[in-house]
Amino acid sequence: MLTIHRPLTDDACSVVVDGGRIAALGPYGELCAAHGERARVREWAGALVRGRHEPDAVRQLETLYWPDPREAAELGSAPLPAASVPMTDARWGASARRGLQRMLGRGVTAVAGPFARPPVQTAVRRSGVLVGAAAPALVPGARADFAVLAEDGSCVVTVVGGRLVYRRA
């Protein structure tokens, strides 16, 4: 299915996504005229940008514990040194998923690697983010990895491989 992502702050930089790839870029009017009758349109309050790269992902996911919200009363909500929490494979995997969700919430679509812990590797692979490479450029034919950022720089939405993986509430 075709989707046109229209950033409301920069109408000249809309993007058409077909599956997991960028099909076209340009002004919304032109893209709508060419694809509008068969594409759904998503409008976002922000500017569409290339996804962010997280160079510190290995440290964040393999040495920190990202607490579950149900643990907030006991552990707080900020990441903790993993050595301070009894870690099992299940806990590593859950922590990595929560850490990745926070990264996606910042517009991250690519992370540095490699990852040594199998539960972390699984979480990263399932998230769809690229490992070891920068996010691809916004050009037709490239993988559809991008973010929409609000004027204050906060992330409104993150798209990885054409999938909407984060949307600010």
Side-chain angles (χ1 to χ4, degrees):
M1 162 165 246
L2 291 178
T3 303
I4 300 173
H5 292 272
R6 179 184 187 192
L8 298 176
T9 59
D10 183 5
D11 204 39
C13 186
S14 293
V15 63
V16 177
V17 174
D18 186 4
R21 299 277 169 198
I22 294 174
L25 291 149
Y28 173 71
E30 291 176 17
L31 297 178
C32 193
H35 306 281
E37 67 252 3
R38 53 192 182 99
R40 100 178 122 197
V41 176
R42 293 189 178 261
E43 295 182 331
W44 307 111
L48 195 140
V49 299
R50 175 184 188 166
R52 294 176 171 168
H53 178 263
E54 178 52 69
D56 197 30
V58 173
R59 183 190 69 79
Q60 290 183 36
L61 299 178
E62 294 205 330
T63 67
L64 297 177
Y65 175 67
W66 297 82
D68 186 293
R70 296 170 291 190
E71 300 173 308
E74 178 187 346
L75 299 175
S77 60
L80 307 164
S84 66
V85 180
M87 298 298 286
T88 62
D89 280 351
R91 209 165 202 188
W92 274 115
S95 171
R97 288 189 298 277
R98 289 188 295 272
L100 283 160
Q101 187 59 37
R102 294 233 190 134
M103 288 180 200
L104 293 169
R106 294 193 324 264
V108 171
T109 62
V111 296
F115 297 94
R117 296 182 185 281
V120 174
Q121 292 171 348
T122 299
V124 171
R125 185 179 65 253
R126 288 181 178 170
S127 75
V129 298
L130 293 173
V131 178
L138 294 174
V139 296
R143 188 173 126 138
D145 286 3
F146 56 88
V148 176
L149 303 181
E151 286 185 24
D152 65 0
S154 64
C155 185
V156 175
V157 66
T158 305
V159 173
V160 172
R163 294 177 321 147
L164 186 65
V165 294
Y166 172 80
R167 178 175 18 193
R168 185 168 60 196

